[in-house]
Amino acid sequence: MDNNKAPKPHFNFMWIYLGIALLLGFLVIRSGGPSLLSSSNKEVTYSEFKTYVSKGYASRIVANKRDGSLCMYVSPEHVRDVFPTSSVQPGTEVFVEAEFPSADKLDSFLEQQQEAGNFKGEVSYEQGDDMFRNILWSFGPLVLIIFFWMFMLRGAGGGGGGGGAMGLFNVGKSRAKLVEKDQRAKVTFKDVAGLNEEKEELEEIVDFLKDPVKYTNLGARIPKGVILTGPPGTGKTLLAKAVAGEANVPFFSLSGSDFVEMFVGVGASRVRDLFRQAKEKSPCIIFIDEIDAIGRARGKNAGFSGNDERENTLNQLLTEMDGFQTNTGVIVLAATNRVDILDKALMRAGRFDRQIEVGLPDVKEREEIFDVHLRPLKLDPELDRTFLAKQTPGFSGADIANVCNEAALIAARHNKKYVSREDFLAAIDRIIGGLERKNKIISDEEKRVIAYHEAGHATVSWILENASPLIKVTIIPRGKSLGAAWYLPEERQITTREQMMDELAAMLGGRVSEQINFGEVSTGALNDLERATKMAYAMVAYYGMSEKVGTISYYDSTGQSDMALTKPYSELTAQQIDAEAKNTIAEAYAMAAEVLRSHADGLKELAELLLEREVVFTEDVERIFGKRKKDILRERKEAEQKALAERKAASGDAEEAAGKKEVAPAESRKDEEKISGTAASAVSDGKSSAETPEV
């Protein structure tokens, strides 16, 4: 079977419905008589009708003998005589309606007018009402409205039924995209860089989908669901696709918002239809991206809605994943970055049995991700991928892909033949700080304040041992900031209070520098103060780093307190937290002030260099202040380790040489013994047994 053959197009019945609607409209218009075809008409008395005819205004007359009504069509040249104030233009055929007393009197009158030459048109008679017209007039508008409404539903809510049915009847169908195993451009674990632990966790799921009998024979229960959590852009969706590719099974993909609709019961219906289709295709995978759209914890807004549609959808999902049904071979993969707000019933064992945290990549994983995204680029042969990985701490896989693309765009903008290291550094700066605004008008006084502000950040972070190492400082405006200092944060798993205090002091270094050098402060430290305040409150209220407040944490990892109207502590405790956070910031402020006063000359030199060059790098700061204490200790440690390794290597070579010298005499002695033994045996062969030497 040729899988590449294009699928046969499905006939869309909407064309039939549209044709029926147009036909009904045409028949209504045609059967409605002149009242629908004409643009203007009015009712007149029989006397007025006779007057119009006698004046020669009539072009033709249509009379209905059954109801005694008639229509007199007005000649185009007499339209203004009959409709003097109407918007009808002269030359347009219009009519008037009237009732006549009897057919005999009407015939007699028209014969007189024809003989007098006042009426030269035709006279036609209708025997009665058009029943079909009356039916159309009664039900036609309703039918048109129904067809119009169905047409709108087709475009708005027609979920999964292809072109064979209308949206009104398909609104409850699943909107999942089915990708058959033979139709997919396969994504495997080899295409997923990094995430080694996560891939190992998912290999068991893949193994089950390939060979479920191996597990069921031992009585094992297969996990029904796996939820992938973590920050945006870390590769959760890619992992799900890789699982489907590795297992080579059908793959249903949809978003949590695809269940949500304006109609009651649609979400639950779509859930039922999704699992019905999945059972028919089993073994298969259902992937629900952004499951928090329907999986949010129930009951938080119960006061606003007694029958929440989202909750109904969630209830149906819970039933389908567990309930009384068996979904053999159907595994549900879900992804979210808000696992804290999900319903507990959804997260329990038996539904989502496993929760896999897909975190931000470390330096080794970032290097692997760079290898993937750098393949299509024309690169500088001297480009160091390890350097790029070290320059992007805290970047997700999506961020790294964006860096690679932005670097290629920058290189193309400068008409380069390949993408170099400088392009990647410019791309990182562009993503972190925003676009350079070199044309922004800044006065000399403001520029000087900005220079000393950024020099204060750089100085404090360089002198303090635990602060993040500096990469570069600039006073070129980027995005919303008027200046910036780039640091390379250490990838720590835990952080001590001393380290956090050094980071706080580095944040406040800009404000302190303004205070010391100009005797006043500015609004330029807004972002610094915001981050410092949040960190200080976290140290006191979350990490238990305050003696007065104590080793107590008010952090809520479940997110339940977000909806609470009250705080989990008393007003007295709140005052203590406020006071301790203020004292923490004051302590960091004093640390920064001490550093800047003791290194005032270096601060001034660095600020003046910034005013001159606008950008200062690590080498310049190192030339002014010398090497950082941490760098000195690290270099010393590396030198000691290198010397130790050299001594071990030298001692190992000496031992090996000595071993060879010891082996050589031993072998010579063995050879001598062997020779002497051979000689003795040779002598004994020529003598009697009594003369044989003793051994």
Side-chain angles (χ1 to χ4, degrees):
M1 182 179 178
D2 189 6
N3 295 324
N4 297 324
K5 186 181 293 182
K8 296 181 179 179
H10 296 281
F11 181 76
N12 196 338
F13 282 88
M14 280 303 301
W15 293 108
I16 295 179
Y17 301 133
L18 184 60
I20 293 174
L22 293 175
L23 179 62
L24 286 174
F26 175 76
L27 292 175
V28 168
I29 294 175
R30 184 174 180 84
S31 304
S35 61
L36 293 177
L37 293 174
S38 304
S39 58
S40 181
N41 65 80
K42 67 178 182 178
E43 293 184 2
V44 298
T45 62
Y46 185 65
S47 301
E48 291 176 329
F49 161 72
K50 294 170 65 177
T51 303
Y52 292 153
V53 176
S54 60
K55 291 183 178 181
Y57 296 168
S59 63
R60 63 187 179 93
I61 297 173
V62 179
N64 191 323
K65 293 183 179 181
R66 183 173 180 175
D67 59 5
S69 62
L70 59 85
C71 293
M72 185 197 80
Y73 287 85
V74 183
S75 301
E77 61 270 17
H78 296 291
V79 170
R80 286 300 183 205
D81 296 329
V82 180
F83 301 93
T85 61
S86 176
S87 60
V88 179
Q89 299 296 326
T92 304
E93 188 181 47
V94 296
F95 67 94
V96 296
E97 295 179 332
E99 295 183 357
F100 57 91
S102 65
D104 296 337
K105 291 183 178 180
L106 179 63
D107 293 340
S108 174
F109 171 73
L110 295 178
E111 289 177 1
Q112 293 176 4
Q113 297 300 320
Q114 287 178 343
E115 293 176 359
N118 296 328
F119 176 61
K120 301 179 180 179
E122 297 180 355
V123 182
S124 59
Y125 293 93
E126 296 178 353
Q127 295 299 322
D129 290 339
D130 191 344
M131 184 177 298
F132 187 65
R133 181 186 67 182
N134 294 336
I135 294 174
L136 289 178
W137 266 112
S138 302
F139 300 101
L142 179 61
V143 173
L144 289 176
I145 292 173
I146 291 175
F147 273 101
F148 177 77
W149 180 246
M150 294 171 70
F151 181 80
M152 295 299 295
L153 287 178
R154 176 70 178 183
M166 300 192 60
L168 180 65
F169 308 105
N170 266 355
V171 71
K173 299 292 185 179
S174 170
R175 305 180 72 173
K177 297 179 180 178
L178 172 61
V179 182
E180 296 285 357
K181 58 183 180 181
D182 298 328
Q183 299 174 352
R184 185 187 309 110
K186 285 188 178 182
V187 177
T188 62
F189 286 147
K190 295 181 180 179
D191 301 315
V192 182
L195 305 177
N196 297 323
E197 292 81 5
E198 292 81 356
K199 288 189 287 187
E200 291 178 2
E201 189 77 14
L202 292 170
E203 284 179 355
E204 184 176 339
I205 306 298
V206 174
D207 190 34
F208 161 69
L209 291 172
K210 289 182 177 180
D211 188 15
V213 180
K214 180 174 68 174
Y215 297 88
T216 56
N217 286 341
L218 296 175
R221 183 179 61 84
I222 305 303
K224 293 185 179 180
V226 178
I227 187 165
L228 305 174
T229 65
T234 51
K236 299 184 292 294
T237 304
L238 185 62
L239 271 176
K241 294 180 179 179
V243 171
E246 288 283 345
N248 195 25
V249 295
F251 186 73
F252 292 86
S253 174
L254 75 165
S255 174
S257 60
D258 290 334
F259 295 105
V260 182
E261 194 62 73
M262 62 179 290
F263 304 105
V264 177
V266 169
S269 176
R270 288 178 178 176
V271 171
R272 288 191 295 269
D273 186 68
L274 171 63
F275 278 86
R276 179 189 59 78
Q277 295 181 35
K279 293 172 189 176
E280 294 175 355
K281 297 285 186 178
S282 66
C284 66
I285 293 175
I286 298 175
F287 176 61
I288 305 175
D289 201 3
E290 305 297 340
I291 195 173
D292 52 278
I294 60 170
R296 188 182 298 266
R298 294 165 293 178
K300 290 188 176 182
N301 59 343
F304 300 96
S305 176
N307 186 19
D308 191 8
E309 174 65 14
R310 181 187 55 77
E311 291 189 3
N312 293 337
T313 305
L314 175 59
N315 292 335
Q316 186 63 43
L317 179 62
L318 297 176
T319 304
E320 292 290 342
M321 291 189 66
D322 190 13
F324 298 98
Q325 304 177 12
T326 56
N327 301 326
T328 307
V330 179
I331 293 180
V332 182
L333 292 181
T336 180
N337 53 5
R338 295 295 310 278
V339 68
D340 56 308
I341 66 173
L342 294 180
D343 195 278
K344 293 182 179 180
L346 187 66
M347 300 298 296
R348 75 157 176 82
R351 293 192 175 105
F352 284 108
D353 303 272
R354 297 185 180 181
Q355 179 177 336
I356 300 177
E357 177 70 25
V358 185
L360 294 172
D362 55 21
V363 61
K364 184 180 179 181
E365 292 174 336
R366 289 198 301 273
E367 186 174 351
E368 296 177 1
I369 296 172
F370 266 110
D371 289 336
V372 173
H373 294 292
L374 292 178
R375 290 173 188 169
L377 303 183
K378 294 182 179 180
L379 302 174
D380 184 359
E382 299 180 356
L383 182 65
D384 186 9
R385 290 171 169 79
T386 305
F387 171 79
L388 297 179
K390 292 181 179 179
Q391 294 296 314
T392 51
F395 278 46
S396 65
D399 295 332
I400 293 175
N402 192 21
V403 167
C404 296
N405 184 63
E406 191 68 32
L409 294 176
I410 294 173
R413 195 179 301 131
H414 293 86
N415 298 319
K416 293 184 177 181
K417 295 182 179 179
Y418 50 81
V419 187
S420 62
R421 169 177 170 175
E422 291 74 18
D423 299 323
F424 282 97
L425 293 178
I428 295 172
D429 295 345
R430 169 72 174 85
I431 292 172
I432 295 177
L435 185 66
E436 285 188 356
R437 298 186 295 169
K438 296 182 179 180
N439 297 328
K440 189 176 182 64
I441 300 175
I442 302 175
S443 64
D444 294 338
E445 293 80 5
E446 291 178 334
K447 196 172 182 180
R448 190 170 187 83
V449 172
I450 296 170
Y452 273 87
H453 182 103
E454 299 301 335
H457 285 303
T459 303
V460 176
S461 65
W462 190 266
I463 299 301
L464 294 180
E465 181 181 352
N466 297 308
S468 300
L470 184 74
I471 298 177
K472 75 173 185 178
V473 188
T474 179
I475 58 174
I476 300 175
R478 281 184 176 270
K480 295 182 180 181
S481 62
L482 299 176
W486 274 263
Y487 305 94
L488 192 62
E490 297 182 5
E491 298 186 46
R492 310 186 186 109
Q493 301 300 322
I494 57 174
T495 306
T496 63
R497 187 181 188 279
E498 183 181 0
Q499 292 171 338
M500 297 185 75
M501 290 301 299
D502 288 355
E503 293 177 3
L504 272 177
M507 293 178 191
L508 299 173
R511 166 61 68 91
V512 178
S513 178
E514 293 181 22
Q515 181 71 45
I516 293 176
N517 292 279
F518 303 101
E520 59 182 3
V521 295
S522 68
T523 60
L526 173 61
N527 182 255
D528 302 329
L529 296 177
E530 180 187 1
R531 293 189 297 126
T533 303
K534 290 181 179 179
M535 181 178 288
Y537 271 96
M539 292 172 64
V540 175
Y542 294 164
Y543 303 130
M545 296 182 177
S546 171
E547 294 182 358
K548 291 185 178 180
V549 177
T551 54
I552 297 176
S553 177
Y554 297 104
Y555 179 72
D556 184 16
S557 61
T558 63
Q560 301 295 323
S561 62
D562 296 341
M563 302 295 295
L565 301 178
T566 59
K567 297 179 180 178
Y569 43 81
S570 65
E571 190 64 29
L572 179 61
T573 304
Q575 294 178 5
Q576 292 178 347
I577 293 174
D578 293 339
E580 283 297 288
K582 187 176 180 180
N583 294 335
T584 302
I585 293 178
E587 182 183 350
Y589 197 94
M591 292 172 57
E594 182 182 356
V595 170
L596 293 179
R597 288 194 177 96
S598 59
H599 297 82
D601 296 337
L603 172 66
K604 183 177 179 182
E605 184 179 354
L606 180 59
E608 296 298 331
L609 187 62
L610 271 172
L611 288 171
E612 179 184 351
R613 293 167 44 182
E614 294 186 334
V615 180
V616 172
F617 296 93
T618 305
E619 297 78 13
D620 304 306
V621 182
E622 185 176 338
R623 178 180 55 80
I624 296 173
F625 297 104
K627 289 187 177 181
R628 301 180 76 222
K629 181 180 179 180
K630 209 168 194 177
D631 295 336
I632 296 174
L633 295 176
R634 187 186 70 253
E635 291 176 359
R636 186 181 301 172
K637 186 177 180 180
E638 290 176 354
E640 292 176 355
Q641 291 177 351
K642 184 178 180 181
L644 181 62
E646 290 177 353
R647 287 197 300 269
K648 287 184 178 179
S651 62
D653 294 340
E655 291 177 359
E656 185 178 357
K660 289 182 179 179
K661 290 180 179 180
E662 292 178 358
V663 170
E667 290 179 351
S668 63
R669 286 195 298 271
K670 287 181 180 180
D671 293 339
E672 292 176 357
E673 292 175 356
K674 185 176 180 180
I675 293 172
S676 62
T678 304
S681 64
V683 173
S684 66
D685 290 340
K687 296 182 178 181
S688 63
S689 59
E691 298 176 348
T692 304
E694 296 180 0
V695 179

